[in-house]
Amino acid sequence: MDALHNQVFFPASLPELFSAWTRFPDAVPFAGGGGLLRNQGKQILTLPRNILSLERLEELQKITRTERYLEIGAMVKLSEITGLGKIVPEALTKSLQGIASPQIRNLITLGGNICNPSRRQDASAPLVALDARYELRTAQEIRWVSASRFSGLSGPPALNPQELLTRIRIPLEQWHYTVYKKLTDMETADGDGGSAVFLARIQKNILTDIRVVFAGQILLRDKNSETILAGKQLPLDRRDAEHFSELWRTYLSAIEEPGFMLREKIFNFIESCIFSLSD
Ligand SMILES: Cc1cc2nc3c(=O)[nH]c(=O)nc-3n(C[C@H](O)[C@H](O)[C@H](O)COP(=O)(O)OP(=O)(O)OC[C@H]3O[C@@H](n4cnc5c(N)ncnc54)[C@H](O)[C@@H]3O)c2cc1C
């Protein structure tokens, strides 16, 4: 029977899923289908030859909360996550609320957003900035990787062959200043750029932590500039804000991608965020 093609599997457990995946190594996980079917509205749909539907895997639908973490199963729908309310870090909520329409957010999943092979989708920048970690499973092993390592600097996500994203673990740290923005790129055919997030933690008027991440075709984060502002009093001295902006200017000018227009948008976003913390 293994010679048959065009099969859709509906495993009800992970052992069942990996057994089918071992027999059909080219099979592709199908979560909500939003990424796999996107831009196919006016044509006959093209689907991968063999499909592993994840919809019956209850283990991937769970949401749990401890004192320090929020854990979200890969198959949890975006609308369910935004419906959890204030427990979800604001940066993630804002990114999910900006994806597609409410109807589509009822169908598509966080795991599908993170695993999209074509480019880093909108949840990636917040998850990297929040230091999220992902649980990945194969038939043989379970490993945890940081969101930033999973996203990588460029190219597709760091998934091994026949590896499934099962859980997303998000630290529940308090961030006092959150800005999230989708950025378009008019130098590309579809205008699809990426998204940027700026987080700051403030304690007794002191800036204790700052994170700035852009994710699109590539992932950008300059840890060097983040450390120079830790411990500074608010409002920031304008010279400190200018220094921070200049470090980002240098960092962005050293990379070839994205193109000039998107790089300018990223820089303007960072500049406006940092100057809003200064006098
Ligand atoms: C009209 C429309 C508008 C959209 N707008 C946006 C937008 O504004 N911003 C945005 O970020 N995205 C957007 N998307 C893209 C997409 O729907 C989302 O990124 C979505 O979260 C994908 O989730 P899904 O559950 O549908 O994944 P799928 O389409 O089922 O899967 C996406 C990819 O991830 C893989 N995959 C899925 N789950 C797993 C897993 N657990 N482990 C390993 N691999 C897995 C699949 O094999 C596939 O390659 C849009 C889509 C549509 C249809």
Side-chain angles (χ1 to χ4, degrees), residues 176 200-204 206-210 229-232:
H176 303 92
R201 184 176 297 127
I202 299 154
Q203 277 162 357
K204 296 191 178 148
I206 305 283
L207 193 55
T208 56
D209 203 352
I210 191 163
L229 291 183
K232 299 272 182 194

Side-chain angles (χ1 to χ4, degrees), residues 215-234:
Q217 283 302 342
I218 62 169
L219 184 75
L220 301 175
R221 180 173 180 187
D222 180 24
K223 287 198 178 169
N224 180 33
S225 63
E226 290 175 5
T227 52
I228 62 143
L229 291 183
K232 299 272 182 194
Q233 182 112 23
L234 290 180

Side-chain angles (χ1 to χ4, degrees), residues 8-274:
V8 183
F9 295 92
F10 289 88
S13 67
L14 289 175
E16 249 183 70
L17 174 127
F18 289 118
S19 155
W21 219 347
T22 306
R23 285 183 292 129
F24 294 87
D26 68 339
V28 173
F30 188 101
L36 290 165
L37 301 174
R38 194 174 186 184
N39 300 327
Q40 295 197 57
K42 290 189 182 133
Q43 60 193 66
I44 296 168
L45 295 179
T46 308
L47 280 167
R49 193 168 57 160
N50 293 308
I51 288 176
L52 293 165
S53 167
L54 307 181
E55 72 174 40
R56 290 181 61 208
L57 293 167
E58 279 178 25
E59 203 177 329
L60 271 54
Q61 321 266 1
K62 290 185 189 150
I63 299 173
T64 53
R65 187 197 156 170
T66 67
E67 218 172 279
R68 293 171 58 200
Y69 301 108
L70 177 65
E71 285 194 354
I72 302 175
M75 279 297 286
V76 175
K77 312 287 183 288
L78 304 190
S79 55
E80 207 182 326
I81 301 169
T82 53
L84 293 172
K86 287 214 158 96
I87 181 69
V88 183
E90 191 185 344
L92 182 62
T93 300
K94 283 185 170 169
S95 72
L96 301 185
Q97 284 171 338
I99 294 174
S101 62
Q103 293 81 356
I104 289 176
R105 291 199 293 274
N106 285 334
L107 299 171
I108 64 181
T109 66
L110 186 57
N113 193 277
I114 294 169
C115 292
N116 194 301
S118 58
R119 86 150 168 86
R120 282 149 204 79
Q121 300 283 300
D122 291 353
S124 296
L127 289 170
V128 170
L130 293 164
D131 274 347
R133 293 180 72 75
Y134 302 156
E135 184 192 63
L136 305 171
R137 289 193 186 205
T138 59
Q140 289 80 30
E141 64 163 12
I142 301 176
R143 67 182 177 120
W144 283 90
V145 299
S146 66
S148 75
R149 194 152 158 244
F150 184 81
S151 281
L153 294 179
S154 60
L159 273 171
N160 289 327
Q162 286 100 52
E163 192 169 45
L164 193 71
L165 169 67
T166 43
R167 261 192 294 176
I168 296 100
R169 179 181 285 170
I170 306 165
L172 289 175
E173 296 168 315
Q174 227 192 331
W175 293 96
H176 303 92
Y177 181 73
T178 295
V179 191
Y180 168 84
K181 195 164 189 193
K182 267 170 113 116
L183 300 171
T184 51
D185 183 1
M186 291 313 167
E187 286 172 295
T188 60
D190 56 5
D192 209 12
S195 59
V197 66
F198 186 106
L199 302 179
R201 184 176 297 127
I202 299 154
Q203 277 162 357
K204 296 191 178 148
N205 239 18
I206 305 283
L207 193 55
T208 56
D209 203 352
I210 191 163
R211 308 226 179 122
V212 185
V213 175
F214 168 83
Q217 283 302 342
I218 62 169
L219 184 75
L220 301 175
R221 180 173 180 187
D222 180 24
K223 287 198 178 169
N224 180 33
S225 63
E226 290 175 5
T227 52
I228 62 143
L229 291 183
K232 299 272 182 194
Q233 182 112 23
L234 290 180
L236 282 177
D237 190 294
R238 281 192 81 78
R239 277 169 305 181
D240 287 331
E242 274 160 16
H243 182 39
F244 182 85
S245 298
E246 277 319 305
L247 286 176
W248 261 93
R249 174 69 86 195
T250 310
Y251 175 69
L252 288 171
S253 62
I255 54 172
E256 282 173 20
E257 272 189 85
F260 175 76
M261 282 165 75
L262 182 53
R263 264 186 287 161
E264 280 302 291
K265 283 189 181 173
I266 298 168
F267 180 76
N268 292 341
F269 167 80
I270 294 166
E271 194 178 44
S272 87
C273 292
I274 200 67

